Amino acid sequence: MTANVDTRLAPRQRLARGLKYSTVGPVDVTRGVVGISANTVTAAAAGLRKRYESGKLRRQLAAAAQAVAALPEVLQEAAAAPEPKRRRRPLVLAGVAAAVLAGGAVVFSIVRRSARHEAPTPLAPSVEVNPKP
């Protein structure tokens, strides 16, 4: 088998060839996946660049910058406002979880005890207990 060095494989072709041949498979699979990832990143960057140039992303970034600039005022207002009543929901959930676990332990114990059967009466030994001299 001779490989033609002049022809360059596309990442998808390299991945397919790597999966096909086990000898050079791991290298080709790795190079194919890296190539496909690079192409995906390049396409995503091109899409972001188009969105930025069209103005949509620029407006979104401007709105985000404005929101960040107003953040200190919002924090001051939040600090000055009275605190709302704290909810006890996590405490209630923890109590319910503990009750369920305790109930499960009790049920398990009861089922286990009822599943135990009394040991059968021992059988007579097959060898004499008191050997005769």
Side-chain angles (χ1 to χ4, degrees):
M1 248 191 326
T2 60
N4 190 354
V5 179
D6 295 333
T7 59
R8 298 190 48 96
L9 296 175
R12 187 172 295 158
Q13 292 170 332
R14 188 176 306 282
L15 179 62
R17 188 180 85 175
L19 293 173
K20 184 176 178 185
Y21 299 111
S22 62
T23 321
V24 291
V27 174
D28 279 338
V29 167
T30 304
R31 288 181 66 186
V33 168
V34 167
I36 289 172
S37 300
N39 288 347
T40 303
V41 168
T42 304
L48 285 174
R49 184 174 56 245
K50 285 181 182 178
R51 280 182 54 198
Y52 184 77
E53 289 172 356
S54 71
K56 185 176 183 181
L57 184 62
R58 190 180 308 152
R59 286 190 299 272
Q60 290 174 350
L61 289 175
Q66 188 178 13
V68 169
L71 192 60
E73 295 171 6
V74 172
L75 288 176
Q76 286 176 353
E77 290 174 5
E83 285 190 27
K85 285 180 84 177
R86 296 189 75 184
R87 298 172 94 176
R88 296 187 181 251
R89 189 173 200 173
L91 187 60
V92 170
L93 289 177
V96 168
V100 167
L101 285 175
V106 168
V107 169
F108 177 77
S109 175
I110 292 171
V111 168
R112 187 165 178 200
R113 283 185 189 163
S114 67
R116 272 194 216 157
H117 298 289
E118 291 185 22
T121 57
L123 298 174
S126 61
V127 181
E128 277 189 54
V129 179
N130 298 326
K132 296 179 183 175

